[in-house]
Amino acid sequence: MSPSTITLLFLLFAVIMFVFEKIPLGVTSMIVCIGLVVTGVLDIKTAFAGFIDSNVILFVAMFIVGGALFETGMANKIGGIVTKFAKTERMLIVAIMVIVGLMSGVLSNTGTAAVLIPVVIGIAAKSGYKRSRLLMPLVFAAAMGGNLSLIGAPGNLIAQSALEELDMKFGFFEYAIVGLPILIVGIIFYATIGYRLLPNHDVNDDGAFDTTRDFSNVPKWKQWLSLIILIFTLLAMVFEDKISIKLCISGAIGALLLILTGVISEKDALKSIDLKTIFLFGGTLSLASALQETGAGEIIANKVIGALGENPSPYVLTFVVFLLCCVLTNFMSNTATTALMVPICLSIAQGMGADPRAVLMACVIGGSCAYATPIGMPANTMVVGAGNYKFMDYVKSGFPLIIIATVVSMIILPIAFPFFP
């Protein structure tokens, strides 16, 4: 069997196992990772590269930073302040989504989610609402917010650099023409109908996010230092380009400072790292690598687009590109999906004599719709353990959001980015 066929079979295996969850998600990811090595599709270095991926380093660091916010009781304090203003669960969901959506427009959406997850768990503990109902709107808003500006998500910049080679470009807030309406409709959806679709799980408070403890004996300096280091970590992420320090390194510096100053002990720091998340994310990155390296992802893309015939209607093509990116991004990273689809979309646009900006906008927005699986984007993976989520929770809560994003995009894209201006 060819490497691309083996990869597609592993993809099928992963999807089936994730849906039925007969074995833990992290174990499925590792079976795929090891399987790709045993079958010779990937070498060991490539297969395990996911475990030293910058997002995994960011996860580990931010679990420790978040853990310190809990160990000191600061997360509960912040939760108490926020819950004074948001009186109902719906109000909380709207407030969280608005704040996260706007922040991730100018910050990395993964960084935004990483910083705010412990705060939201604190809010849940203080308000008495289940954190499983608050964390999912948080990560969805982070993904939607990524489409508000050029720097909101890595995929946005991939499309930009491809356009620059043709002496064209998107404006800084041009993605927001489609992204902002999706964010607004998404927030309204979860405040109304979608509210009922959110998972309702009880979570055992073991590990770092133990919200049942008494924090009265924790020194005040520890509480404040945990918050100060979190804020400085966030600021370092905001000014990533100015200070030339990557997100994961800023997170790691924050985590090290917390341990060195004694705000959190080494034992508690290690306890706060959610290994389920690390194995799930690190393992499935090998599948994303295999889809790219063997050309299996390209085979899927070309087969689908090839089925449209010689001169497809611009509307049909926009819809198919959007939908294909939606599907791929839920199993590959949105960055990998955009990187794969951009050259394919460009060649289609040039072949038709169409405006490449129209096809690439559909590609980028579709590639950000990673709402229906826990592996679609790093932020989704980060809350699997904290929210006690199952694979199907993401499908039930996130799939309607993909439909909303598709409908909104199909209305706006042809008007704002016509194929033949």
Side-chain angles (χ1 to χ4, degrees):
M1 266 194 291
S2 68
S4 54
T5 308
I6 295 168
T7 303
L8 291 172
L9 287 172
F10 272 117
L11 175 65
L12 184 66
F13 165 79
V15 173
I16 292 166
M17 283 300 161
F18 283 155
V19 169
F20 292 106
E21 231 170 303
K22 293 291 182 199
I23 52 177
L25 296 178
V27 177
T28 298
S29 294
M30 291 312 299
I31 291 171
V32 171
C33 180
I34 302 290
L36 289 166
V37 175
V38 172
T39 52
V41 173
L42 296 176
D43 57 49
I44 293 175
K45 195 174 174 185
T46 310
F48 285 90
F51 290 95
I52 51 162
D53 180 83
S54 60
N55 279 318
V56 172
I57 297 164
L58 178 69
F59 287 175
V60 171
M62 294 314 292
F63 279 137
I64 294 170
V65 174
L69 216 60
F70 272 91
E71 287 295 326
T72 60
M74 198 63 196
N76 283 29
K77 252 188 187 167
I78 298 168
I81 295 164
V82 174
T83 47
K84 275 181 190 162
F85 297 102
K87 297 293 180 205
T88 65
E89 193 178 39
R90 283 176 203 257
M91 280 172 72
L92 265 179
I93 289 169
V94 171
I96 289 167
M97 292 188 80
V98 169
I99 293 163
V100 175
L102 294 177
M103 275 178 70
S104 67
V106 288
L107 273 171
S108 137
N109 42 25
T110 307
T112 303
V115 169
L116 291 177
I117 285 165
V119 177
V120 169
I121 294 173
I123 292 169
K126 211 69 187 168
S127 62
Y129 300 124
K130 289 187 179 172
R131 67 173 84 151
S132 65
R133 297 184 62 74
L134 302 181
L135 288 172
M136 210 165 257
L138 164 92
V139 293
F140 291 163
M144 290 187 282
N147 290 328
L148 296 185
S149 77
L150 196 56
I151 57 169
N156 304 9
L157 291 166
I158 292 172
Q160 182 78 335
S161 53
L163 275 178
E164 280 169 356
E165 287 175 20
L166 305 172
D167 287 330
M168 302 169 88
K169 62 175 186 173
F170 287 124
F172 188 80
F173 287 113
E174 207 162 351
Y175 286 107
I177 295 170
V178 188
L180 187 60
I182 291 174
L183 177 63
I184 292 166
V185 176
I187 292 171
I188 293 167
F189 174 71
Y190 286 108
T192 52
I193 307 161
Y195 174 78
R196 295 174 190 170
L197 301 173
L198 294 169
N200 195 13
H201 299 318
D202 290 313
V203 180
N204 295 326
D205 271 318
D206 50 357
F209 300 128
D210 181 358
T211 51
T212 56
R213 282 174 39 196
D214 173 26
F215 298 106
S216 56
N217 59 346
V218 178
K220 286 276 182 284
W221 69 267
K222 281 192 176 186
Q223 294 191 335
W224 285 106
L225 196 52
S226 71
L227 181 62
I228 289 163
I229 289 175
L230 175 75
I231 290 167
F232 273 107
T233 305
L234 175 61
L235 287 171
M237 289 177 174
V238 173
F239 297 109
E240 181 188 9
D241 294 336
K242 299 269 189 300
I243 59 175
S244 300
I245 297 175
K246 296 273 181 210
L247 294 182
C248 59
I249 302 300
S250 295
I253 292 169
L256 286 170
L257 284 173
L258 288 162
I259 297 167
L260 290 171
T261 52
V263 172
I264 187 171
S265 66
E266 183 195 16
K267 186 182 172 189
D268 286 334
L270 291 170
K271 198 169 71 173
S272 67
I273 299 166
D274 185 352
L275 286 176
K276 181 159 93 174
T277 300
I278 306 301
F279 282 116
L280 174 60
F281 192 75
T284 44
L285 280 184
S286 63
L287 184 60
S289 298
L291 283 166
Q292 260 178 303
E293 288 205 2
T294 62
E298 209 169 326
I299 290 168
I300 298 169
N302 288 332
K303 281 268 187 284
V304 173
I305 289 171
L308 297 176
E310 284 295 306
N311 293 308
S313 127
Y315 289 107
V316 173
L317 182 64
T318 305
F319 179 67
V320 169
V321 164
F322 189 92
L323 225 53
L324 183 56
C325 289
C326 274
V327 172
L328 286 174
T329 195
N330 278 286
F331 297 99
M332 294 169 71
S333 81
N334 45 11
T335 313
T337 301
T338 317
L340 167 75
M341 290 298 294
V342 160
I344 296 171
C345 292
L346 267 185
S347 58
I348 293 167
Q350 287 169 319
M352 289 172 69
D355 180 4
R357 287 159 38 91
V359 196
L360 289 192
M361 185 57 81
C363 169
V364 170
I365 303 289
S368 70
C369 292
Y371 313 121
T373 69
I375 55 169
M377 59 181 174
N380 286 13
T381 319
M382 283 191 89
V383 294
V384 170
N388 197 21
Y389 293 132
K390 303 274 180 283
F391 185 90
M392 287 309 289
D393 290 332
Y394 289 87
V395 178
K396 284 173 193 162
S397 303
F399 186 68
L401 193 51
I402 293 179
I403 294 169
I404 288 167
T406 307
V407 172
V408 172
S409 300
M410 288 307 112
I411 294 167
I412 296 172
L413 281 170
I415 300 165
F417 300 96
F419 257 58
F420 302 106

